[in-house]
């Protein structure tokens, strides 16, 4: 077999569909954020980043950077092992206690990323619980889907955000056997929020556990940044809350918060926890400082929401269609992979604006989009510049405007 030819052909097919991914290579000096420098062949171009998942700029905050730097200088760069074999630092344990407190749970368990936390926890629970069925929302993130698949548990997909469909599907299952309802709070691509109280009620009625991905909500919602489950007063009725330390908290790592027994169970049986080197303690400490900060401060959340409202108002002014939702994610649907990429390329090259196009398989074909994430760091001038640029391009590409 000609392996190289096979790889090239597969990549050409992606290019033909408009789904070949090109990464923007950036330097991101702290003092200029949300401005960055894009490195192209031989050139350096200043750009404003409008698609970061460091939603609140915490990765750039002096407090968090100092915590990471101080700990790295004092304790070293890496953890030195898996948690089982010499890799457990006091700082990991401290962070887990903080995460448990954030969500009002007995315990927290740290992983190297949010992806790994979903994959490892769902695959372990689904594999070990007797006769387990996992009921998965149709729009769940790839990390949950992979974890469920790997568990080899019975899998039932229910209609996105539809508690009635969930109810029907739970009712159709035999009463014996474990059941896990897996869903998210804020969905990352549409920015919609699940009807959590109804989902919890349905799950409780059928004796099912709930597994909630709050990756796009932790740090951002709830009076202490504990996510939508905290805002809605539902955290104690959710069995497992999963989150990331890489988005609003601005660092890296993932976790679950749940009962002491459940966390101890996953710690003891999950291969994705046991057989991989622990997060560097410096990152754990940076994340802890970030979580503690956002537990006490609402300023960043308020500034973000203000900028989300400002951007939406400007897009309305120019009649740029943007998907309505109650979150901080502003999706501008283009509906075609080539157009989405053209808009993104032109914004970058001619306007110094970086918004990555979101194409299949991240979103369904025909719903390709620009996904804009305003942060507290953006200024009024940044917002005006982005809105005007989009308006220019809307005219240039003869895209349809929103009805006034
Ligand atoms: C980003 C994301 C994850 C993975 O988190 P990482 O910390 O980036 O690995 C999990 N779930 C959802 C919904 C996400 O968007």
């Amino acid at each position: 077999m000609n392996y190289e030819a096979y790889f090239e052909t597969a990549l050409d097919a992606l290019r033909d569909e408009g789904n070949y991914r090109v990464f923007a290579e950036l330097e991101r000096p702290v003092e200029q954020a949300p401005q960055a420098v894009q490195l192209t062949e031989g050139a350096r171009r200043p750009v404003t980043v409008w698609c970061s998942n460091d939603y609140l700029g915490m990765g750039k905050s002096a407090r968090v950077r100092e915590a990471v730097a101080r700990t790295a200088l004092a304790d070293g760069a890496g953890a030195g092992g898996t948690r089982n074999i010499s890799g457990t630092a006091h700082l990991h344990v401290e962070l887990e206690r903080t995460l448990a407190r954030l969500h009002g749970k007995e315990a927290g368990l740290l992983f190297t990323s949010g992806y790994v936390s979903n994959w490892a926890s769902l695959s372990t629970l689904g594999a070990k619980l007797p006769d387990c069925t996992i009921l998965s929302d149709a729009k769940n993130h790839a990390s949950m889907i992979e974890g469920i698949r790997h568990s080899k548990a019975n899998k039932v997909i229910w209609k996105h955000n539809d508690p009635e469909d969930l109810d029907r599907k739970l009712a159709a299952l035999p009463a014996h056997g474990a059941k896990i309802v897996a869903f998210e709070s804020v969905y990352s691509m549409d920015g919609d929020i699940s009807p959590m109280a109804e989902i919890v009620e349905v799950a409780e009625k059928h004796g099912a556990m709930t597994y909630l991905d709050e990756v796009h909500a932790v740090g951002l919602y709830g009076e202490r940044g504990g996510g939508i489950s905290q805002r809605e007063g539902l955290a104690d009725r959710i069995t497992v809350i999963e989150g990331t330390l890489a988005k609003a908290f601005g660092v890296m790592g993932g976790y679950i918060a749940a009962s002491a027994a459940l966390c101890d169970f996953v710690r003891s049986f999950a291969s994705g926890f046991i057989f991989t080197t622990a997060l560097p303690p410096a990152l754990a400490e940076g994340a802890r400082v970030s979580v503690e900060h956002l537990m006490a401060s609402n300023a960043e959340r308020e500034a973000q929401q203000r900028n989300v409202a400002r951007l939406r108002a400007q897009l309305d002014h120019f009649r740029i269609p943007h998907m309505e939702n109650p979150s901080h994610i502003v999706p501008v649907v283009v509906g075609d992979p080539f157009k989405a990429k053209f808009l993104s390329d032109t914004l970058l090259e001619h306007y110094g604006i970086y918004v990555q196009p979101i194409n299949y398989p991240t979103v369904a074909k025909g719903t390709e989009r620009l996904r804009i994430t305003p942060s507290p760091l953006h200024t009024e001038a940044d917002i005006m510049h982005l809105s005007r640029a989009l308006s220019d391009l809307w005219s240039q590409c003869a895209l349809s405007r929103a009805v006034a």
Side-chain angles (χ1 to χ4, degrees):
M1 178 167 183
N2 185 338
Y3 297 104
E4 294 303 313
Y6 172 82
F7 300 142
E8 292 298 345
T9 309
L11 291 169
D12 284 343
L14 273 187
R15 285 188 191 93
D16 290 346
E17 295 167 0
N19 288 329
Y20 181 74
R21 294 173 182 224
V22 182
F23 300 154
E25 202 176 317
L26 304 178
E27 282 175 4
R28 307 162 193 260
V30 162
E31 59 281 357
Q32 288 166 30
Q35 264 71 39
V37 180
Q38 188 204 4
L39 307 177
T40 58
E41 295 97 65
R44 298 168 59 82
R45 177 194 296 150
V47 297
T48 304
V49 180
W50 273 105
C51 54
S52 177
N53 278 342
D54 180 359
Y55 289 128
L56 301 176
M58 291 305 288
K60 304 285 186 208
S61 92
R63 235 185 236 229
V64 173
R65 287 182 295 121
E66 276 159 19
V68 172
R70 187 182 349 104
T71 314
L73 288 174
D75 289 7
T82 66
R83 290 289 293 277
N84 283 285
I85 303 178
S86 139
T88 295
H90 174 59
L91 296 171
H92 293 128
V93 179
E94 286 282 294
L95 173 57
E96 287 173 339
R97 286 198 188 114
T98 299
L99 293 168
R101 225 164 14 90
L102 171 67
H103 294 291
K105 294 287 185 194
E106 287 173 2
L109 187 67
L110 189 59
F111 297 83
T112 45
S113 74
Y115 187 103
V116 172
S117 65
N118 272 334
W119 184 85
S121 304
L122 282 169
S123 64
T124 303
L125 293 167
K128 295 276 179 194
L129 284 166
D131 298 324
C132 186
T133 298
I134 303 183
L135 297 106
S136 179
D137 181 285
K139 291 212 173 168
N140 275 344
H141 188 257
S143 55
M144 297 168 92
I145 296 169
E146 292 294 342
I148 294 166
R149 181 182 301 162
H150 187 75
S151 78
K152 300 199 171 72
N154 181 31
K155 172 178 176 174
V156 174
I157 295 172
W158 48 288
K159 259 191 233 154
H160 177 58
N161 279 352
D162 186 341
E164 284 169 22
D165 189 50
L166 174 64
D167 191 18
R168 275 191 296 276
K169 288 185 164 148
L170 273 165
L173 293 171
H176 81 282
K179 299 168 190 78
I180 303 172
V181 173
F183 66 115
E184 301 183 21
S185 56
V186 177
Y187 284 84
S188 63
M189 291 302 144
D190 290 352
D192 54 336
I193 296 180
S194 56
M196 200 175 291
E198 288 153 84
I199 292 168
V200 167
E201 210 148 287
V202 169
E204 285 173 350
K205 181 173 115 186
H206 295 279
M209 283 177 47
T210 40
Y211 184 102
L212 175 64
D213 177 320
E214 288 252 41
V215 160
H216 292 280
V218 289
L220 302 176
Y221 300 92
E223 64 276 19
R224 281 147 57 85
I228 301 292
S229 56
Q230 181 171 84
R231 188 184 77 181
E232 307 293 316
L234 291 166
D236 60 341
R237 290 168 69 190
I238 303 280
T239 319
V240 182
I241 296 174
E242 182 272 345
T244 184
L245 302 167
K247 288 171 184 168
F249 296 126
V251 188
M252 190 183 182
Y255 65 91
I256 57 169
S259 71
L262 190 147
C263 288
D264 202 16
F265 179 85
V266 174
R267 184 186 74 90
S268 305
F269 291 108
S271 115
F273 177 85
I274 297 170
F275 295 107
T276 187
T277 298
L279 204 68
L283 296 187
E285 180 59 2
R288 191 192 62 77
V289 166
S290 184
V291 173
E292 293 278 1
H293 177 81
L294 289 176
M295 281 172 82
S297 168
N298 276 317
E300 293 80 6
R301 289 188 272 277
E302 282 164 7
Q304 180 203 33
Q305 291 298 339
R306 218 165 24 244
N307 274 347
V308 170
R310 278 183 183 144
L311 176 65
R312 284 192 181 275
Q314 280 307 316
L315 294 178
D316 285 340
H317 173 77
F318 289 108
R319 297 201 290 117
I320 304 298
H322 51 104
M323 204 184 262
E324 278 306 323
N325 67 44
S327 77
H328 59 284
I329 295 163
V330 184
V332 172
V333 174
V334 184
D336 175 279
F338 296 100
K339 283 184 190 161
K341 177 144 183 8
F342 174 80
L343 288 177
S344 169
D345 288 347
T346 311
L347 284 170
L348 200 52
E349 280 162 35
H350 297 291
Y351 296 90
I353 289 169
Y354 174 40
V355 196
Q356 189 75 24
I358 310 274
N359 287 351
Y360 179 82
T362 311
V363 295
K365 287 182 182 172
T367 71
E368 290 81 1
R369 67 195 63 186
L370 304 176
R371 174 183 180 272
I372 305 172
T373 52
S375 88
L377 305 178
H378 292 105
T379 62
E380 288 263 25
D382 292 332
I383 292 169
M384 281 309 300
H385 180 57
L386 170 64
S387 311
R388 287 212 178 95
L390 283 170
S391 187
D392 284 358
L393 288 175
W394 240 248
S395 299
Q396 195 181 319
C397 301
L399 292 165
S400 51
R401 305 240 173 199
V403 272

